[in-house]
Amino acid sequence: MDYLEIKGGNKLSGTVTISGAKNAALPIIAGTLLSDKPITLTNLPNVVDIRTLLKLLTMLGAKVSHNKTVATIDNSSINSTKAVYEIVSQMRASILVLGPLLARFKECEVSLPGGCAIGQRPIDLHLKALEAMGATIEIKGGYVKAVAKDGLKGAKIVFDKITVGGTENIVMAASLATGTTTILNAAKEPEVVQLCEMITSAGVKIEGIGTNELSIEGTGGKALNFKEVEIIPDRIEAGTYLCAGAITNSSITLTKVNHQHIRASIDKLEAMGCSFELKDNSITIHPTSTIKPVNLITLEYPGFPTDMQAQFMALAVMAQGESMIEERLFENRFMHVSELNRLGADIWLKGSISAVKGVEELYGADVMATDLRASSALVLAGLVAKGTTKVRRIYHLDRGYDDLEGKLSALGAKIVRKKEA
Ligand code: UD1
């Protein structure tokens, strides 16, 4: 197994290019199943999760050609509608094939993803919505078996809770349904917006894009014909590099970013004392030598993203004073706390709330990555910790960060990937 060895204390400088958003690319790749014509996707991040989903499509019979950031997917010869456990268990987002497969082929089987390190993460809301659209759903042998013999029908869906994946699955299903589907309490994350825009580019009418109320007029079963899609920049990767600049007290520039999408991270970094220079699609962070403490609560977009919570906690560890961080979206998303404490942090945790007392210094140690964003928080802490930090189980990082150690090294960090002896 690989691990990252980081020698802390180096300042960073220079420019880093932000990759395409993993969380935008995944639903878009699943959404290609709504089409029987080839489609090209560009600006894909070169990460394991993308390769996993492309592998799943290949297993379903798709013809895929993929080279790092570009993939052409031809779903004209799909010959299986079963998403097997071996793939779904590697990546929960595989559940995103449920809506498009059911809509296009009127039946499918998708393995239940089960829990994950950051909580239970059920898919009950996806299933309830598909049932409202006329699907019969059965759970058997660890699989969701969904059938809609006469095709899906438009329906009024009210999500009890805002769900990104649930909204994406239902938007995809609704685009081939008969009649109009309305989704109330829909997610409005930029990744949901890009999926909706891809579908409208194929002629489907969607109203309310970017709001909590969507209305989708389905094609009545007719497959879609998409135009080429360029994946939007990754707002979480961008936020992570801004935190890298802030924690190392370094001025760095990020290119290929969408300022609007990273507003919540910019606002919190400003509250912590950093300032910014924004140009077309780039942003330069001017850090502060005395980081101020911060209070933050994770929320749905445009609120502060749960996917940035761990990285801001690493930063709060180096602040002068006490920060409060509340996690509202996932019940178990604080596993980085004990690992950060191993590096010398002083974090107290009760339920969904943590109090982070700033410390003068961190000291390098061996730490274990537990999930994708927790891993990047440990890397950030390692960049400032005295001595050497070894971050193990970095397969989590490889799932979602495109060449993290390459990009950080190019900025001047001392970080190398090594193999366990
Ligand atoms: C997506 C992102 C993930 C991010 C999360 C929240 C992708 C591939 N992943 O995950 O990085 O952290 O949004 O911004 O885009 N829930 C239910 N029942 C359901 C569905 C969800 O109770 O049927 C709950 C979840 O357990 C969680 C909350 O709703 O507490 C939000 O989850 P959701 O928005 O669905 O997250 P994902 O789409 O899985």
Side-chain angles (χ1 to χ4, degrees):
M1 246 197 271
D2 293 357
Y3 65 93
L4 287 178
E5 188 176 280
I6 307 163
K7 294 211 165 77
N10 263 40
K11 280 240 185 190
L12 309 182
S13 65
T15 299
V16 58
T17 303
I18 299 305
S19 299
K22 167 183 85 74
N23 286 357
L26 292 172
I28 281 177
I29 292 171
T32 66
L33 286 163
L34 298 165
S35 173
D36 55 4
K37 306 262 181 340
I39 167 172
T40 297
L41 309 179
T42 64
N43 200 35
L44 290 168
N46 189 13
V47 298
V48 171
D49 272 10
I50 299 299
R51 295 194 281 279
T52 304
L53 190 56
L54 290 174
K55 183 173 168 200
L56 174 58
L57 261 57
T58 308
M59 287 166 81
L60 300 178
K63 293 186 196 87
V64 176
S65 79
H66 177 214
N67 185 5
K68 291 183 182 161
T69 59
V70 179
T72 299
I73 304 169
D74 179 351
N75 287 320
S76 61
S77 51
I78 297 289
N79 51 29
S80 162
T81 54
K82 182 167 179 172
V84 294
Y85 176 73
E86 290 67 26
I87 299 281
V88 183
S89 59
Q90 282 174 41
M91 186 185 66
R92 294 193 87 259
S94 315
I95 196 69
L96 290 167
V97 300
L98 177 64
L101 279 178
L102 179 61
R104 186 160 153 224
F105 301 101
K106 300 186 174 152
E107 59 174 20
C108 66
E109 271 184 77
V110 179
S111 171
L112 274 171
C116 73
I118 62 173
Q120 274 188 45
R121 300 183 80 173
I123 54 159
D124 56 319
L125 302 174
H126 305 227
L127 302 184
K128 213 170 126 192
L130 289 172
E131 278 176 335
M133 296 175 76
T136 306
I137 300 215
E138 198 188 6
I139 294 180
K140 228 179 182 176
Y143 279 77
V144 176
K145 295 188 181 195
V147 182
K149 276 213 170 66
D150 302 323
L152 292 168
K153 310 263 181 305
K156 182 178 170 186
I157 311 294
V158 186
F159 279 126
D160 293 341
K161 199 172 181 181
I162 295 182
T163 158
V164 173
T167 303
E168 290 164 345
N169 241 334
I170 300 313
V171 165
M172 292 188 276
S175 67
L176 296 198
T178 302
T180 302
T181 301
T182 53
I183 309 177
L184 304 185
N185 211 19
K188 54 182 181 186
E189 270 63 6
E191 296 77 22
V192 177
V193 169
Q194 187 168 37
L195 176 70
C196 289
E197 284 169 351
M198 168 195 184
I199 291 172
T200 54
S201 80
V204 173
K205 197 171 160 202
I206 305 183
E207 278 174 15
I209 296 177
T211 74
N212 291 124
E213 190 171 333
L214 293 169
S215 166
I216 306 117
E217 272 179 38
T219 62
K222 192 168 164 280
L224 306 181
N225 188 3
F226 295 120
K227 299 197 170 67
E228 181 172 312
V229 177
E230 182 185 346
I231 303 299
I232 57 171
D234 194 315
R235 63 193 168 104
I236 306 303
E237 188 195 21
T240 304
Y241 282 99
L242 291 180
C243 287
I247 203 166
T248 58
N249 190 18
S250 310
S251 188
I252 57 170
T253 299
L254 280 52
T255 59
K256 270 192 147 184
V257 290
N258 181 319
H259 305 139
Q260 199 57 38
H261 295 171
I262 54 173
R263 197 65 250 175
S265 292
I266 293 175
D267 285 352
K268 289 298 171 193
L269 285 166
E270 276 175 346
M272 295 174 97
C274 302
S275 58
F276 295 91
E277 214 175 305
L278 273 56
K279 286 195 191 135
D280 298 337
N281 63 355
S282 78
I283 180 167
T284 301
I285 177 167
H286 299 299
T288 166
S289 50
T290 36
I291 301 172
K292 291 185 207 151
V294 73
N295 290 340
L296 61 87
I297 297 174
T298 63
L299 286 171
E300 292 87 6
Y301 188 84
F304 186 86
T306 173
D307 287 352
M308 283 304 303
Q309 181 255 104
Q311 300 89 316
F312 268 77
M313 185 176 285
L315 189 53
V317 164
M318 302 310 292
Q320 288 200 356
E322 188 165 323
S323 302
M324 297 288 287
I325 298 182
E326 180 175 352
E327 172 57 53
R328 288 244 181 113
L329 267 71
F330 293 107
E331 73 264 28
N332 193 22
R333 203 169 197 178
F334 275 135
M335 294 201 314
H336 40 285
V337 167
S338 46
E339 298 301 300
L340 287 170
N341 282 345
R342 297 193 75 245
L343 295 171
D346 183 357
I347 309 170
W348 172 91
L349 178 63
K350 187 154 175 61
S352 62
I353 297 179
S354 62
V356 186
K357 260 195 203 147
V359 295
E360 288 287 314
E361 274 171 341
L362 292 177
Y363 298 92
D366 284 27
V367 286
M368 199 89 91
T370 48
D371 68 66
L372 176 53
R373 308 304 170 185
S375 326
S376 61
L378 298 177
V379 171
L380 291 175
L383 293 177
V384 283
K386 286 221 149 133
T388 303
T389 299
K390 289 182 184 167
V391 183
R392 299 186 192 278
R393 296 203 186 158
I394 52 164
Y395 51 85
H396 291 293
L397 275 176
D398 294 336
R399 289 187 44 204
Y401 281 95
D402 190 344
D403 191 21
L404 183 72
E405 74 269 23
K407 290 187 184 187
L408 281 173
S409 298
L411 291 171
K414 286 205 168 145
I415 176 168
V416 281
R417 178 181 289 255
K418 291 195 166 172
K419 281 213 181 299
E420 218 71 73

